[in-house]
């Protein structure tokens, strides 16, 4: 029994030792496996970093071939990944480096970051290598720099793939930054059987253009890094704007002459009628650009665009019109005769200007129907003053010559008893000028070519009369010719043709564009400031034209639209005159376009901010301008107004002499009658109250009364 007990004890001892040994062996095996796994992971990490570095260096080398300046944006994880000194061709490029902190904030970015980005853009950097481990930080950086325009969105971009960057709220970025390559790194592949195999593989992706904003931004595979080399190794920055492959691009339209006419509505109502009528310069431009870039334009008119037009920024960052469409990024192009100004550059990108427009005022034209002044119209004020002074001087000269001859020459001859000289004949005819009243009267009659009742015998007076007749003939001929011209010519018009005249007038001015008011207020010209102070905003064009026609308003717009509106108004007036039952009041004033241009402003196609299409579109627009199509389209748009203006001129009333134009003659005769009647009343009153009450008055011996009183000389 004891032996059995000893055996059992020994057996238990050896079993326990065997278990301990097995545990030690198992532990050692596990330790060995774990150490091998750690070594494998460390080796895999080293290989992964090395592969990533190799891929980045290859793409950077490709970017260097296209750029002379490159910007590196990294963080603490990737700041030592790539050294540009060892990259082929790096000696010929400039390098800027930005290292972001892990807690970087971009609502108040560091001044150093801003300065680097500003300097890099100023020197023309168009290559960006952004290696940031945190995808959210990358998105914040891209949004900030794109919003502030601190990066060239048309440049080349290299980024690490992260699904944070592909969220729907960032789709607008990838409609602006399209020359981008994403490095998508894989460490393990899971097969259908569930088995995982570890393969060191890196994919290079890019984005589609344009992107779909309703879902995640889709990426497009372009190449793979595997076993130390790229599979294709070709150009990874694919040109995406030359051929858009029939994709739809939205075009926001605001009808404004000469950019877009009403005839274009058939196209964005999807009812093209192949009409030959003018569609507008910008509409024709888009038609050609869409064919050249192979996309389908999808036209639409924004809600309330006819009243909101270009639009403005309201309270709480609210927007209207085309500005609202641009802020929300609803379209790729914006048509509406947009002015190339700093204000609009806050919301749009513009192509190169395709035309310049004269901005001026549509003013009321006052008709100066002054036929009642027919007698004084032939001569100007200073001419009349000169004639009156000459008349007075001539009458006084005749008077003094006649008196002097009668007093000195005749008396001298009488004293000398010169024979054969009759004193009565010598002074014959001098009585016409020996009284100042008669002298002025006969001098006036000679001026109107009325013969004298008796020609004086005095040669002194005769010589003066002869030269006075020559003067009278010249004046009379000029007066008659000028009066004939005044009767034959159309009625002269009073117009406002300069800013000074407009500022001095009491007429109100205005337009629908608030930017126009700011332009006048900020001007250094005093007349422009005066116009800006009384500038009114008016949204409805028809209302503005009606106020101009009533003579109470001047409308600010481009000269092409004003010319078009003026012709439409003239046609409306003509129809109203034909329709006797029309309730509308006829025009009180004609419409006149001010001759002086306030400013010649460049006009360009509006595009989405930072649009990647701009470089290619600029080339196409420049070619279209060079071949003369813009001028041709402008001529087509304005052809209707030119034709109607010619018709209006040919159908205008001829300058015939009628009773209305002869009203000056009737006014003259009426004035003569009134003066004669007043003088007659005066003589009657003088007879009754003065002559009859005279004590010496005797109605039976009036000749004695007048001879004694000396009131009248017979």
């Amino acid at each position: 029994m004891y032996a059995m007990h000893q055996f059992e004890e020994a057996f238990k001892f050896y079993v326990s030792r065997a278990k301990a040994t097995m545990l030690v062996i198992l532990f050692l095996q596990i330790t060995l496996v774990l150490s091998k796994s750690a070594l494998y992971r460390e080796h895999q990490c080293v290989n992964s970093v090395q592969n990533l570095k190799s891929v980045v260096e290859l793409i950077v080398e490709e970017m260097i071939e296209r750029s002379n300046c490159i910007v590196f944006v990294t963080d603490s994880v990737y700041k030592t990944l790539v050294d540009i000194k060892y990259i082929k061709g790096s000696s010929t490029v400039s390098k800027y480096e930005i290292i972001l902190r892990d807690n970087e904030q971009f609502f108040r970015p560091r001044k150093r970051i801003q300065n680097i980005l500003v300097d890099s853009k100023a020197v023309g950097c168009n290559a960006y290598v952004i290696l940031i481990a945190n995808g959210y930080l990358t998105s914040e950086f891209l949004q900030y720099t794109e919003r502030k325009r601190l990066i060239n969105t048309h440049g080349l971009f290299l980024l690490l793939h992260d699904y944070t960057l592909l969220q729907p709220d960032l789709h607008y970025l990838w409609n602006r930054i399209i020359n981008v390559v994403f490095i998508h790194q894989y460490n393990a592949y899971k097969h259908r059987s569930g088995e995982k195999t570890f393969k060191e593989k890196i994919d290079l992706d890019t984005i589609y253009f344009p992107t779909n904003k309703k879902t995640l931004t889709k990426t497009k595979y372009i190449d793979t890094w595997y076993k130390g080399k790229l599979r294709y190794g070709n150009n990874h920055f694919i040109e995406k704007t030359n051929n858009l492959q029939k994709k739809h691009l939205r075009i926001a339209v605001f009808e404004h002459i000469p950019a877009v006419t009403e005839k274009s509505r058939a196209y964005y109502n999807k009812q093209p009628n192949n009409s030959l009528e003018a569609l507008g310069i910008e509409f024709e431009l888009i038609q050609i650009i869409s064919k050249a870039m192979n996309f389908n334009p999808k036209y639409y008119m924004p809600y309330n665009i006819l009243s909101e037009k270009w639009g403005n920024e309201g309270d709480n960052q609210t927007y209207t019109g085309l500005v609202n469409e641009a802020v929300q990024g609803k379209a790729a192009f914006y048509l509406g005769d947009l002015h190339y100004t700093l204000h609009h550059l806050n919301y749009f990108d513009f192509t190169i200007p395709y035309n310049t427009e004269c901005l001026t005022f549509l003013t009321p034209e006052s008709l100066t129907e002054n036929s009642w002044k027919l007698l004084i119209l032939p001569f100007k004020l200073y001419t009349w003053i000169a004639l009156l002074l000459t008349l007075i001087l001539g009458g006084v000269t005749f008077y003094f010559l006649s008196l002097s001859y009668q007093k000195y020459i005749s008396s001298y001859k009488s004293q000398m008893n010169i024979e054969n000289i009759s004193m009565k004949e010598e002074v014959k005819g001098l009585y016409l000028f020996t009284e100042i009243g008669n002298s002025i009267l006969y001098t006036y009659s000679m001026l109107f070519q009325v013969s004298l009742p008796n020609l004086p015998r005095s040669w002194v007076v005769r010589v003066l009369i002869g030269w006075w007749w020559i003067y009278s003939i010249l004046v009379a001929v000029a007066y008659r010719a000028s009066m004939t011209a005044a009767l034959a010519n159309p009625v002269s018009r009073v117009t406002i043709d300069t800013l000074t005249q407009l500022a001095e007038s009491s007429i109100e001015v205005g337009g629908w564009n608030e930017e126009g008011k700011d332009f006048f207020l900020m001007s250094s010209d005093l007349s422009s400031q005066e116009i800006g102070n009384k500038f009114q905003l008016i949204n409805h064009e028809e209302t503005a034209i009606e106020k101009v026609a009533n003579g109470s308003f001047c409308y600010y717009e481009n000269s092409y639209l004003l010319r078009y509106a003026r012709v439409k108004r003239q046609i409306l007036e003509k129809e109203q005159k034909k329709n006797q039952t029309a309730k509308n009041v006829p025009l009180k004033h004609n419409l006149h376009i001010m001759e002086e241009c306030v400013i010649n402003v460049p006009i360009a196609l509006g595009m989405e901010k930072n649009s990647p299409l701009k470089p290619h579109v600029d080339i196409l627009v420049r070619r279209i301008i060079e071949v003369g199509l813009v001028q041709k389209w402008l001529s087509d748009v304005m052809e209707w107004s030119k034709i109607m203006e010619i018709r209006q001129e040919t159908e205008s009333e001829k300058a015939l002499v009628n009773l209305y134009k002869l009203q000056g003659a009737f006014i003259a005769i009426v004035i003569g009658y009134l003066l004669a009647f007043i003088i007659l009343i005066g003589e009657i009153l003088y007879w009754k109250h003065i002559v009859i009450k005279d004590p010496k008055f005797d109605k039976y011996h009036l000749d004695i009364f007048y001879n004694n009183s000396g009131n009248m000389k017979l």
Side-chain angles (χ1 to χ4, degrees):
M1 292 296 292
Y2 178 76
M4 288 294 293
H5 179 71
Q6 289 292 330
F7 176 77
E8 290 178 357
E9 290 292 331
F11 180 77
K12 290 180 179 179
F13 173 75
Y14 286 113
V15 169
S16 62
R17 289 192 66 179
K19 289 180 178 180
T21 303
M22 291 295 293
L23 289 173
V24 171
I25 293 171
L26 181 62
F27 175 75
L28 291 174
Q29 288 178 344
I30 293 173
T31 303
L32 181 62
V33 170
L34 290 175
S35 62
K36 287 182 178 180
S37 177
L39 289 173
Y40 175 76
R41 289 195 184 104
E42 183 179 356
H43 175 72
Q44 185 183 19
C45 182
V46 172
N47 287 342
S48 176
V49 172
Q50 186 61 38
N51 290 335
L52 178 61
K53 180 179 180 181
S54 300
V55 172
V56 171
E57 289 178 349
L58 284 174
I59 303 302
V60 170
E61 183 179 336
E62 185 179 336
M63 297 169 74
I64 288 174
E65 294 177 356
R66 298 187 176 190
S67 176
N68 58 359
C69 177
I70 190 167
V71 179
F72 283 88
V73 183
T74 59
D75 58 4
S76 58
V77 177
Y78 293 106
K79 64 180 180 179
T80 59
L81 181 65
V82 179
D83 191 350
I84 194 173
K85 295 180 181 179
Y86 301 104
I87 298 177
K88 181 180 178 181
S90 61
S91 60
T92 61
V93 299
S94 302
K95 175 189 173 184
Y96 291 86
E97 187 174 1
I98 299 174
I99 300 177
L100 300 181
R101 299 168 182 168
D102 294 338
N103 61 345
E104 196 77 56
Q105 300 292 330
F106 290 104
F107 63 89
R108 280 188 179 179
R110 285 181 287 154
K111 197 70 175 178
R112 176 176 173 78
I113 296 176
Q114 287 182 319
N115 293 337
I116 292 175
L117 291 171
V118 170
D119 292 343
S120 64
K121 189 175 182 182
V123 299
C125 278
N126 63 343
Y128 299 87
V129 178
I130 304 175
L131 303 175
I132 303 174
N134 187 345
Y136 178 77
L137 185 61
T138 305
S139 67
E140 289 290 316
F141 174 78
L142 289 175
Q143 289 181 83
Y144 162 72
T145 53
E146 188 276 334
R147 183 173 65 254
K148 297 297 183 180
R149 298 201 178 196
L150 296 175
I151 58 174
N152 182 4
T153 56
H154 302 155
L156 310 177
F157 288 80
L158 178 63
L159 291 91
L160 297 176
H161 185 279
D162 194 308
Y163 284 104
T164 305
L165 301 175
L166 306 177
Q167 297 301 314
D169 59 337
L170 296 180
H171 87 280
Y172 75 94
L173 278 177
W174 311 121
N175 272 334
R176 301 173 182 180
I177 303 174
I178 63 174
N179 297 319
V180 59
V181 172
F182 291 102
I183 299 177
H184 199 170
Q185 192 171 13
Y186 299 93
N187 290 327
Y189 284 92
K190 186 175 182 180
H191 296 274
R192 292 182 180 179
S193 61
E195 179 185 359
K196 287 185 178 181
T197 58
F198 292 89
K199 293 183 180 180
E200 298 167 357
K201 178 183 176 183
I202 299 177
D203 281 349
L204 299 181
D205 299 336
T206 187
I207 53 97
Y208 291 92
F209 176 77
T211 62
N212 186 357
K213 65 180 181 179
K214 296 181 180 179
T215 59
L216 288 175
T217 302
K218 294 181 180 180
T219 58
K220 177 183 178 182
Y221 166 81
I222 54 177
D223 208 344
T224 298
W225 172 271
Y226 185 61
K227 292 184 178 181
K229 63 179 180 179
L230 289 171
R231 176 175 296 177
Y232 301 108
N234 55 3
N235 179 19
H236 298 99
F237 294 95
I238 305 169
E239 179 60 51
K240 301 183 179 71
T241 59
N242 287 339
N243 187 353
L244 297 179
Q245 300 177 355
K246 298 295 182 180
K247 293 182 179 177
H248 291 274
L249 293 183
R250 286 167 60 84
I251 315 293
V253 180
F254 162 48
E255 295 173 355
H256 195 270
I257 293 174
V260 184
T261 67
E262 295 180 358
K263 305 300 180 182
S264 63
R265 291 186 182 181
Y267 283 84
Y268 45 88
N269 290 333
K270 298 180 180 180
Q271 297 175 348
N273 52 9
N274 297 321
S275 175
L276 297 178
E277 295 176 326
L279 304 177
I281 299 175
E282 294 184 2
F283 206 91
E284 298 284 4
L285 279 171
I286 287 295
Q287 294 287 85
I288 291 182
I289 291 171
S290 63
K291 292 179 181 178
M293 300 180 68
N294 195 24
F295 68 85
N296 293 323
K298 187 177 180 181
Y299 303 101
Y300 76 99
M301 290 183 66
Y303 179 71
N304 281 343
I305 190 64
L306 295 179
S307 59
E308 296 175 355
K309 299 180 175 61
W310 290 347
N312 293 297
E313 181 178 358
D315 299 331
N316 300 324
Q317 293 185 343
T318 57
Y319 303 90
T320 58
L322 284 184
V323 170
N324 180 55
E325 301 295 305
V327 169
Q328 298 185 20
K330 292 184 177 181
F333 292 90
Y334 302 90
L335 311 185
D337 206 41
L338 290 166
H339 297 168
Y340 202 122
T341 61
L342 292 175
H343 172 73
H344 284 154
L345 283 173
N346 294 326
Y347 311 107
F348 305 93
D349 261 6
F350 288 107
T351 63
I352 61 170
Y354 64 83
N355 192 24
T356 57
E357 291 180 354
C358 167
L359 298 184
T360 186
F361 285 91
L362 183 68
T363 63
E365 186 180 81
S366 299
L367 299 178
T368 57
E369 182 52 65
N370 51 4
S371 296
W372 59 275
K373 298 188 295 184
L374 182 63
L375 294 178
I376 62 175
L377 280 179
F379 292 149
K380 298 294 184 181
L381 175 63
Y382 293 111
T383 307
W384 279 116
I385 293 175
L387 286 176
L388 291 175
L389 291 177
T390 306
L391 174 64
I392 295 173
L393 179 63
V396 172
T397 302
F398 277 112
Y399 172 70
F400 279 108
L401 280 177
S402 300
L403 284 181
S404 298
Y405 189 87
Q406 186 179 19
K407 183 176 181 181
Y408 296 104
I409 303 300
S410 297
S411 62
Y412 174 76
K413 289 182 178 181
S414 176
Q415 294 176 2
M416 296 297 295
N417 296 320
I418 299 176
E419 299 179 357
N420 301 323
I421 297 296
S422 174
M423 296 302 299
K424 293 183 179 180
E425 293 181 357
E426 187 71 22
V427 297
K428 185 178 180 181
L430 286 179
Y431 74 92
L432 298 175
F433 303 102
T434 51
E435 292 185 3
I436 187 64
N438 288 341
S439 179
I440 296 295
L441 181 62
Y442 287 119
T443 305
Y444 175 79
S445 66
M446 285 189 290
L447 192 61
F448 281 89
Q449 297 182 350
V450 178
S451 61
L452 295 174
N454 193 6
L455 186 64
R457 295 290 300 271
S458 172
W459 280 101
V460 176
V461 180
R462 283 188 175 188
V463 171
L464 183 58
I465 289 174
W467 286 104
W468 184 262
W469 279 349
I470 295 174
Y471 166 77
S472 300
I473 290 171
L474 295 175
V475 172
V477 170
Y479 182 83
R480 290 174 179 175
S482 182
M483 179 175 288
T484 303
L487 290 170
N489 288 336
V491 178
S492 58
R493 305 176 186 277
V494 176
T495 58
I496 298 174
D497 287 316
T498 64
L499 285 175
T500 304
Q501 294 175 352
L502 184 61
E504 293 174 352
S505 69
S506 59
I507 302 177
E508 298 176 349
V509 300
W512 57 265
N513 185 10
E514 189 172 356
E515 187 181 359
K517 180 177 182 178
D518 297 336
F519 168 77
F520 286 108
L521 291 175
M522 292 187 296
S523 175
S524 59
D525 180 57
L526 296 179
S527 297
S528 298
Q529 292 178 6
E530 182 67 26
I531 293 172
N533 291 329
K534 60 181 182 179
F535 196 96
Q536 300 178 2
L537 295 178
I538 185 165
N539 292 327
H540 300 287
E541 180 179 305
E542 294 181 357
T543 303
I545 302 300
E546 183 67 29
K547 292 179 68 176
V548 176
N550 291 332
S552 61
F553 195 72
C554 293
Y555 187 48
Y556 182 62
E557 249 295 353
N558 75 70
S559 58
Y560 301 113
L561 185 140
L562 295 180
R563 188 174 182 179
Y564 197 87
R566 181 178 63 180
V567 172
K568 287 180 63 177
R569 186 67 194 182
Q570 289 174 349
I571 294 174
L572 178 62
E573 177 193 9
K574 186 177 179 181
E575 292 177 352
Q576 291 178 358
K577 288 182 177 179
K578 287 182 178 180
N579 186 6
Q580 299 297 331
T581 60
K583 297 181 180 180
N584 295 328
V585 180
L587 281 175
K588 297 180 180 179
H589 298 269
N590 289 336
L591 305 183
H592 173 72
I593 299 175
M594 193 171 76
E595 292 183 359
E596 181 182 2
C597 284
V598 177
I599 186 174
N600 288 294
V601 63
I603 309 298
L605 278 177
M607 303 181 69
E608 185 181 11
K609 197 174 179 181
N610 290 326
S611 173
L613 302 175
K614 176 174 165 53
H616 194 194
V617 172
D618 282 346
I619 295 174
L620 293 174
V621 172
R622 184 175 288 108
R623 291 175 181 174
I624 292 171
I625 296 172
E626 289 172 352
V627 299
L629 286 176
V630 170
Q631 291 300 321
K632 190 265 180 186
W633 294 329
L634 178 60
S635 177
D636 290 343
V637 173
M638 302 308 299
E639 181 180 10
W640 176 80
S641 59
K642 291 179 181 178
I643 292 173
M644 298 310 298
E645 283 182 345
I646 293 173
R647 289 181 180 177
Q648 293 291 333
E649 291 176 0
T650 56
E651 296 176 2
S652 61
E653 183 180 357
K654 296 181 180 179
L656 299 176
V657 178
N658 50 24
L659 288 176
Y660 193 75
K661 280 199 169 187
L662 284 176
Q663 61 178 320
F666 292 103
I667 290 175
I669 194 68
V670 169
I671 292 174
Y673 285 144
L674 290 175
L675 290 177
F677 181 75
I678 292 172
I679 293 173
L680 177 62
I681 297 297
E683 288 186 349
I684 293 174
L685 293 175
Y686 180 80
W687 174 267
K688 289 184 177 181
H689 297 284
I690 295 178
V691 175
I692 295 179
K693 292 183 179 180
D694 193 322
K696 299 179 180 180
F697 176 75
D698 186 356
K699 63 180 180 178
Y700 300 106
H701 300 88
L702 291 178
D703 54 342
I704 299 174
F705 171 75
Y706 283 116
N707 287 330
N708 293 333
S709 62
N711 289 332
M712 180 178 292
K713 294 183 179 181
L714 299 177

